[in-house]
Amino acid sequence: MKIEAIHIHAVHLPLHSPFIVSYGTYHYMPTIILKLETDEGIIGYGEALPDEYVTGESFESTYSLLKHTLAPLLIGKNPMEFEKLHDLMNETIYAVPSAKAALDIACFDAVGKKLGQPVYQLIGGRYHEKFPITHVLSIAEPQEMADEAAIMIEQGYDSFKMKVGTAVQKDVERIQAVREKVGEGINIRVDVNQGWKNSAASLVAMRSLKNLNIDWIEQPVSADDIDGMVEIKSKTDIPVMIDEGIKGPRELREIIRKRAADKVNIKLMKCGGILPAAKLAYQAEMAGIECQVGSMVESSIGSAAGFHVAFSKKNITSVELTGPLKFSKDIGNLTYDVPFIQLNEEPGLGVKVNEQILEELTQFKDVVR
């Protein structure tokens, strides 16, 4: 089987409401959808959702890189040779993980369809039957976040990920308001997205949260401040998760050596796709560290790819892949049974792409042959 053509679509995914995190507000999610064609007529879909703040890639640069460098590189190659294809991409250009993830995901989708197997069967087989889904609360006023949480509980959710990362005291008020509103039986995770900047400010916040039964605090300090994570972990009883601070095996080695986190958040867009994500999970497992597969708010394609990794790995114990729930219109049909996600057994990613909606949401496109 050989890759004959790669179609590249620059897409704007419309959101039900603005998605607000510590470093920006998104009114739509700019993503790049790939459609890979093989000489056997098999189609594989992939996705790149770059983030300047997290991966150092822009929407425009990723599109151009795929069009002019990475997609031409893979034409004529066998999509089943995952390891070799990653070596080829890595030898050609440094980093750019979301661009590489798009091609990795498309290859896995095509190969799964070729073999008649779901992607999770290609990376270890299915381990988990289902995962609970966490509703993400965007940054807002404390009472607004609390009221939204109450509404979502009525819709079946029993866990929340709170986006914070502005002023420390205001963030504490937000978390306190949600806990007071939802009661003690609901799980709350707090994602700071580097917003508390340093360990001193983070520890001030976490002392105020110690009696609120928080599942974990995610990435309170700047991504490169591994030593700051070490200090926080040593001085608080609240578990800490590292997200932006882990992109690949080099960072994970340092995290393991320094015991800098209780849990790591693996994202396909940060590490380069399905194969690198599976490798990170194995690396963490050897060190006894639990993992989560997180989201950059991808469409059904990128979200399904993350789920396949999560469902196949014993030490991946949580997921936060809720992008499709946030879109007023999506290009795929990944379905949720709130508060759970249960993958189907269809080959490849198991996602049917609506080509009409894909064309409707496409801002510009190219094909590489």
Side-chain angles (χ1 to χ4, degrees):
M1 185 164 63
K2 303 295 182 185
I3 299 170
E4 280 198 335
I6 299 173
H7 300 257
I8 310 169
H9 293 256
V11 171
H12 287 175
L13 295 168
L15 292 157
H16 288 295
S17 58
F19 183 59
I20 304 171
V21 298
S22 65
Y23 56 84
T25 298
Y26 296 87
H27 297 281
Y28 60 85
M29 294 308 298
T31 193
I32 296 165
I33 303 298
L34 295 190
K35 179 180 176 182
L36 180 152
E37 296 180 2
T38 74
D39 58 347
E40 297 180 6
I42 296 172
I43 303 295
Y45 290 95
E47 179 170 10
L49 205 158
D51 187 320
E52 296 98 323
Y53 197 72
V54 177
T55 71
E57 303 163 282
S58 73
F59 181 60
E60 295 80 8
S61 70
T62 302
Y63 184 93
S64 179
L65 180 67
L66 283 165
K67 176 183 175 181
H68 297 292
T69 304
L70 289 179
L73 191 68
L74 266 59
I75 297 298
K77 302 297 189 295
N78 182 350
M80 303 181 81
E81 296 174 346
F82 305 118
E83 192 85 38
K84 185 182 290 186
L85 294 179
H86 272 282
D87 269 357
L88 184 60
M89 291 191 290
N90 292 336
E91 290 166 1
T92 300
I93 188 165
Y94 176 73
V96 296
S98 73
K100 293 171 182 175
L103 291 160
D104 166 285
I105 294 166
C107 287
F108 268 100
D109 189 30
V111 172
K113 291 171 179 174
K114 160 78 172 177
L115 301 177
Q117 295 293 328
V119 165
Y120 57 73
Q121 298 289 32
L122 309 181
I123 52 173
R126 187 164 187 157
Y127 183 86
H128 302 282
E129 287 305 313
K130 64 181 180 180
F131 277 105
I133 293 298
T134 296
H135 178 71
V136 180
L137 298 169
S138 292
I139 295 175
E141 289 300 310
Q143 196 55 50
E144 289 180 57
M145 297 180 79
D147 291 343
E148 181 181 345
I151 291 170
M152 300 314 292
I153 287 174
E154 293 177 0
Q155 295 185 20
Y157 288 93
D158 58 10
S159 67
F160 295 96
K161 175 175 182 173
M162 294 186 61
K163 291 288 188 178
V164 298
T166 57
V168 166
Q169 187 53 46
K170 189 61 172 286
D171 287 338
V172 169
E173 292 171 11
R174 291 179 172 109
I175 299 161
Q176 290 172 333
V178 172
R179 173 54 79 199
E180 182 177 346
K181 189 79 170 183
V182 302
E184 290 299 319
I186 299 297
N187 296 316
I188 295 177
R189 297 91 183 256
V190 176
D191 186 3
V192 190
N193 286 121
Q194 311 177 67
W196 293 341
K197 305 300 183 186
N198 56 57
S199 57
S202 300
L203 287 167
V204 168
M206 293 170 80
R207 289 189 194 105
S208 300
L209 302 175
K210 64 181 180 179
N211 295 321
L212 295 183
N213 191 26
I214 304 300
D215 285 6
W216 59 75
I217 303 288
E218 182 176 342
Q219 197 65 54
V221 297
S222 299
D224 294 336
D225 191 4
I226 302 296
D227 289 336
M229 293 292 292
V230 173
E231 182 179 6
I232 292 166
K233 183 174 179 289
S234 69
K235 293 181 178 179
T236 181
D237 293 331
I238 302 175
V240 290
M241 173 187 284
I242 196 161
D243 177 7
E244 288 93 336
I246 173 174
K247 297 177 176 64
R250 183 188 62 78
E251 294 90 354
L252 186 50
R253 282 196 300 272
E254 183 179 1
I255 292 161
I256 291 169
R257 179 169 55 85
K258 294 182 175 180
R259 300 184 178 182
D262 298 290
K263 196 165 183 174
V264 297
N265 195 7
I266 297 171
K267 292 179 178 176
L268 274 61
M269 298 300 140
K270 289 190 305 177
C271 69
I274 291 170
L275 182 64
K279 289 183 176 183
L280 286 177
Y282 285 131
Q283 185 179 354
E285 183 180 30
M286 288 189 289
I289 296 178
E290 290 188 0
C291 301
Q292 170 175 283
V293 175
S295 170
M296 301 285 275
V297 196
E298 299 98 332
S299 76
S300 286
I301 294 171
S303 298
F307 278 124
H308 279 275
V309 175
F311 272 81
S312 71
K313 299 291 171 275
K314 179 180 179 179
N315 67 321
I316 295 178
T317 55
S318 63
V319 295
E320 288 177 355
L321 293 155
T322 58
L325 294 170
K326 294 187 173 297
F327 299 128
S328 57
K329 189 173 288 188
D330 190 10
I331 59 170
N333 68 336
L334 184 64
T335 56
Y336 295 76
D337 183 18
V338 175
F340 296 103
I341 176 73
Q342 299 183 27
L343 284 185
N344 60 41
E345 297 181 359
E346 295 295 316
L349 295 174
V351 171
K352 289 184 172 60
V353 172
N354 187 317
E355 293 283 348
Q356 183 176 343
I357 293 178
L358 175 59
E359 290 296 330
E360 176 188 337
L361 300 181
T362 293
Q363 306 301 303
F364 45 92
K365 62 183 180 178
D366 280 287
V367 59
V368 176
R369 299 183 185 278

PDB file of all heavy atoms in Angstrom, residues 1 11 29 31 55 116 137-138 155 186 188 213 222 228 262 287 314 345 363:
ATOM      1  N   MET A   1       0.857  -1.198   0.000  1.00  0.00           N
ATOM      2  CA  MET A   1       0.000   0.000   0.000  1.00  0.00           C
ATOM      3  C   MET A   1       0.892   1.246   0.000  1.00  0.00           C
ATOM      4  O   MET A   1       1.849   1.329   0.766  1.00  0.00           O
ATOM      5  CB  MET A   1      -0.910  -0.009   1.229  1.00  0.00           C
ATOM      6  CG  MET A   1      -1.911   1.137   1.247  1.00  0.00           C
ATOM      7  SD  MET A   1      -3.283   0.918   2.395  1.00  0.00           S
ATOM      8  CE  MET A   1      -2.431   0.862   3.961  1.00  0.00           C
ATOM      9  N   VAL A  11      -9.518  24.575   8.283  1.00  0.00           N
ATOM     10  CA  VAL A  11     -10.914  24.552   8.734  1.00  0.00           C
ATOM     11  C   VAL A  11     -11.096  25.419   9.982  1.00  0.00           C
ATOM     12  O   VAL A  11     -10.224  25.471  10.852  1.00  0.00           O
ATOM     13  CB  VAL A  11     -11.328  23.094   9.052  1.00  0.00           C
ATOM     14  CG1 VAL A  11     -12.691  23.030   9.731  1.00  0.00           C
ATOM     15  CG2 VAL A  11     -11.325  22.257   7.771  1.00  0.00           C
ATOM     16  N   MET A  29     -12.333  27.165  16.588  1.00  0.00           N
ATOM     17  CA  MET A  29     -11.051  26.474  16.663  1.00  0.00           C
ATOM     18  C   MET A  29     -10.486  26.313  15.252  1.00  0.00           C
ATOM     19  O   MET A  29     -11.108  25.658  14.400  1.00  0.00           O
ATOM     20  CB  MET A  29     -11.197  25.108  17.325  1.00  0.00           C
ATOM     21  CG  MET A  29     -11.604  25.174  18.788  1.00  0.00           C
ATOM     22  SD  MET A  29     -10.586  26.254  19.827  1.00  0.00           S
ATOM     23  CE  MET A  29      -8.984  25.441  19.691  1.00  0.00           C
ATOM     24  N   THR A  31      -8.305  24.545  12.741  1.00  0.00           N
ATOM     25  CA  THR A  31      -7.671  23.231  12.667  1.00  0.00           C
ATOM     26  C   THR A  31      -7.405  22.869  11.214  1.00  0.00           C
ATOM     27  O   THR A  31      -7.964  23.478  10.293  1.00  0.00           O
ATOM     28  CB  THR A  31      -8.541  22.161  13.352  1.00  0.00           C
ATOM     29  OG1 THR A  31      -7.786  20.972  13.528  1.00  0.00           O
ATOM     30  CG2 THR A  31      -9.796  21.847  12.533  1.00  0.00           C
ATOM     31  N   THR A  55       2.626  24.524  21.376  1.00  0.00           N
ATOM     32  CA  THR A  55       3.517  23.772  20.491  1.00  0.00           C
ATOM     33  C   THR A  55       4.446  24.663  19.680  1.00  0.00           C
ATOM     34  O   THR A  55       5.342  24.157  18.992  1.00  0.00           O
ATOM     35  CB  THR A  55       2.710  22.889  19.511  1.00  0.00           C
ATOM     36  OG1 THR A  55       2.056  23.726  18.541  1.00  0.00           O
ATOM     37  CG2 THR A  55       1.687  22.041  20.246  1.00  0.00           C
ATOM     38  N   GLY A 116      -8.912  -3.932   8.659  1.00  0.00           N
ATOM     39  CA  GLY A 116     -10.231  -4.201   9.228  1.00  0.00           C
ATOM     40  C   GLY A 116     -10.229  -4.185  10.743  1.00  0.00           C
ATOM     41  O   GLY A 116     -11.038  -4.891  11.376  1.00  0.00           O
ATOM     42  N   LEU A 137     -14.967  23.799  32.220  1.00  0.00           N
ATOM     43  CA  LEU A 137     -15.530  25.113  32.510  1.00  0.00           C
ATOM     44  C   LEU A 137     -14.535  26.184  32.089  1.00  0.00           C
ATOM     45  O   LEU A 137     -13.439  26.288  32.658  1.00  0.00           O
ATOM     46  CB  LEU A 137     -15.825  25.253  34.007  1.00  0.00           C
ATOM     47  CG  LEU A 137     -16.853  24.283  34.607  1.00  0.00           C
ATOM     48  CD1 LEU A 137     -16.828  24.357  36.129  1.00  0.00           C
ATOM     49  CD2 LEU A 137     -18.246  24.580  34.071  1.00  0.00           C
ATOM     50  N   SER A 138     -14.882  26.991  31.093  1.00  0.00           N
ATOM     51  CA  SER A 138     -14.022  28.096  30.679  1.00  0.00           C
ATOM     52  C   SER A 138     -13.965  29.156  31.774  1.00  0.00           C
ATOM     53  O   SER A 138     -14.859  29.247  32.621  1.00  0.00           O
ATOM     54  CB  SER A 138     -14.554  28.725  29.396  1.00  0.00           C
ATOM     55  OG  SER A 138     -14.432  27.847  28.300  1.00  0.00           O
ATOM     56  N   GLN A 155     -27.341  17.496  33.429  1.00  0.00           N
ATOM     57  CA  GLN A 155     -27.216  16.799  32.144  1.00  0.00           C
ATOM     58  C   GLN A 155     -26.428  15.498  32.250  1.00  0.00           C
ATOM     59  O   GLN A 155     -26.186  14.827  31.251  1.00  0.00           O
ATOM     60  CB  GLN A 155     -26.555  17.721  31.123  1.00  0.00           C
ATOM     61  CG  GLN A 155     -27.391  18.951  30.790  1.00  0.00           C
ATOM     62  CD  GLN A 155     -26.785  19.806  29.691  1.00  0.00           C
ATOM     63  OE1 GLN A 155     -25.942  19.341  28.914  1.00  0.00           O
ATOM     64  NE2 GLN A 155     -27.207  21.052  29.606  1.00  0.00           N
ATOM     65  N   ILE A 186     -18.715  15.523  43.809  1.00  0.00           N
ATOM     66  CA  ILE A 186     -18.365  15.787  42.414  1.00  0.00           C
ATOM     67  C   ILE A 186     -16.859  16.004  42.305  1.00  0.00           C
ATOM     68  O   ILE A 186     -16.256  16.711  43.106  1.00  0.00           O
ATOM     69  CB  ILE A 186     -19.118  17.025  41.893  1.00  0.00           C
ATOM     70  CG1 ILE A 186     -20.630  16.795  41.952  1.00  0.00           C
ATOM     71  CG2 ILE A 186     -18.677  17.373  40.479  1.00  0.00           C
ATOM     72  CD1 ILE A 186     -21.140  15.684  41.075  1.00  0.00           C
ATOM     73  N   ILE A 188     -13.478  17.559  40.937  1.00  0.00           N
ATOM     74  CA  ILE A 188     -13.033  18.828  40.367  1.00  0.00           C
ATOM     75  C   ILE A 188     -11.535  18.758  40.112  1.00  0.00           C
ATOM     76  O   ILE A 188     -10.754  18.421  41.008  1.00  0.00           O
ATOM     77  CB  ILE A 188     -13.344  20.019  41.304  1.00  0.00           C
ATOM     78  CG1 ILE A 188     -14.856  20.201  41.465  1.00  0.00           C
ATOM     79  CG2 ILE A 188     -12.711  21.307  40.760  1.00  0.00           C
ATOM     80  CD1 ILE A 188     -15.242  21.309  42.433  1.00  0.00           C
ATOM     81  N   ASN A 213     -10.921  19.287  48.400  1.00  0.00           N
ATOM     82  CA  ASN A 213     -10.948  17.958  47.777  1.00  0.00           C
ATOM     83  C   ASN A 213     -10.775  18.052  46.259  1.00  0.00           C
ATOM     84  O   ASN A 213     -11.589  17.549  45.490  1.00  0.00           O
ATOM     85  CB  ASN A 213     -12.264  17.231  48.120  1.00  0.00           C
ATOM     86  CG  ASN A 213     -12.234  15.766  47.737  1.00  0.00           C
ATOM     87  OD1 ASN A 213     -11.164  15.160  47.667  1.00  0.00           O
ATOM     88  ND2 ASN A 213     -13.397  15.205  47.472  1.00  0.00           N
ATOM     89  N   SER A 222       5.108  27.941  34.625  1.00  0.00           N
ATOM     90  CA  SER A 222       5.527  27.983  33.221  1.00  0.00           C
ATOM     91  C   SER A 222       6.022  26.616  32.755  1.00  0.00           C
ATOM     92  O   SER A 222       6.587  25.841  33.538  1.00  0.00           O
ATOM     93  CB  SER A 222       6.639  29.018  33.041  1.00  0.00           C
ATOM     94  OG  SER A 222       6.170  30.306  33.392  1.00  0.00           O
ATOM     95  N   GLY A 228      10.216  24.183  39.391  1.00  0.00           N
ATOM     96  CA  GLY A 228       9.064  24.755  40.090  1.00  0.00           C
ATOM     97  C   GLY A 228       8.017  23.695  40.399  1.00  0.00           C
ATOM     98  O   GLY A 228       7.418  23.689  41.485  1.00  0.00           O
ATOM     99  N   ASP A 262       2.769  14.057  39.754  1.00  0.00           N
ATOM    100  CA  ASP A 262       2.053  12.824  40.084  1.00  0.00           C
ATOM    101  C   ASP A 262       1.424  12.195  38.845  1.00  0.00           C
ATOM    102  O   ASP A 262       1.163  10.995  38.813  1.00  0.00           O
ATOM    103  CB  ASP A 262       0.944  13.121  41.109  1.00  0.00           C
ATOM    104  CG  ASP A 262       1.503  13.659  42.407  1.00  0.00           C
ATOM    105  OD1 ASP A 262       2.149  12.884  43.132  1.00  0.00           O
ATOM    106  OD2 ASP A 262       1.294  14.854  42.690  1.00  0.00           O
ATOM    107  N   ALA A 287       7.922   4.100  35.069  1.00  0.00           N
ATOM    108  CA  ALA A 287       8.248   4.897  36.249  1.00  0.00           C
ATOM    109  C   ALA A 287       7.109   4.922  37.261  1.00  0.00           C
ATOM    110  O   ALA A 287       7.206   5.606  38.280  1.00  0.00           O
ATOM    111  CB  ALA A 287       8.584   6.321  35.823  1.00  0.00           C
ATOM    112  N   LYS A 314      -2.945   0.674  29.968  1.00  0.00           N
ATOM    113  CA  LYS A 314      -3.349   0.429  31.352  1.00  0.00           C
ATOM    114  C   LYS A 314      -3.158   1.650  32.238  1.00  0.00           C
ATOM    115  O   LYS A 314      -4.002   1.961  33.091  1.00  0.00           O
ATOM    116  CB  LYS A 314      -2.560  -0.753  31.903  1.00  0.00           C
ATOM    117  CG  LYS A 314      -2.865  -1.114  33.345  1.00  0.00           C
ATOM    118  CD  LYS A 314      -2.020  -2.300  33.784  1.00  0.00           C
ATOM    119  CE  LYS A 314      -2.291  -2.685  35.236  1.00  0.00           C
ATOM    120  NZ  LYS A 314      -1.476  -3.853  35.652  1.00  0.00           N
ATOM    121  N   GLU A 345     -16.281  -0.406  17.455  1.00  0.00           N
ATOM    122  CA  GLU A 345     -15.299  -1.377  16.974  1.00  0.00           C
ATOM    123  C   GLU A 345     -15.107  -1.290  15.471  1.00  0.00           C
ATOM    124  O   GLU A 345     -14.661  -2.232  14.823  1.00  0.00           O
ATOM    125  CB  GLU A 345     -15.731  -2.795  17.388  1.00  0.00           C
ATOM    126  CG  GLU A 345     -15.774  -2.975  18.909  1.00  0.00           C
ATOM    127  CD  GLU A 345     -16.168  -4.371  19.326  1.00  0.00           C
ATOM    128  OE1 GLU A 345     -16.426  -5.212  18.448  1.00  0.00           O
ATOM    129  OE2 GLU A 345     -16.219  -4.634  20.545  1.00  0.00           O
ATOM    130  N   GLN A 363     -11.702  26.872   4.887  1.00  0.00           N
ATOM    131  CA  GLN A 363     -11.379  28.235   4.493  1.00  0.00           C
ATOM    132  C   GLN A 363     -10.520  28.273   3.224  1.00  0.00           C
ATOM    133  O   GLN A 363     -10.668  29.146   2.379  1.00  0.00           O
ATOM    134  CB  GLN A 363     -10.632  28.935   5.640  1.00  0.00           C
ATOM    135  CG  GLN A 363     -11.359  28.879   6.971  1.00  0.00           C
ATOM    136  CD  GLN A 363     -12.732  29.499   6.924  1.00  0.00           C
ATOM    137  OE1 GLN A 363     -12.875  30.669   6.563  1.00  0.00           O
ATOM    138  NE2 GLN A 363     -13.750  28.725   7.267  1.00  0.00           N
TER     139      GLN A 363
END
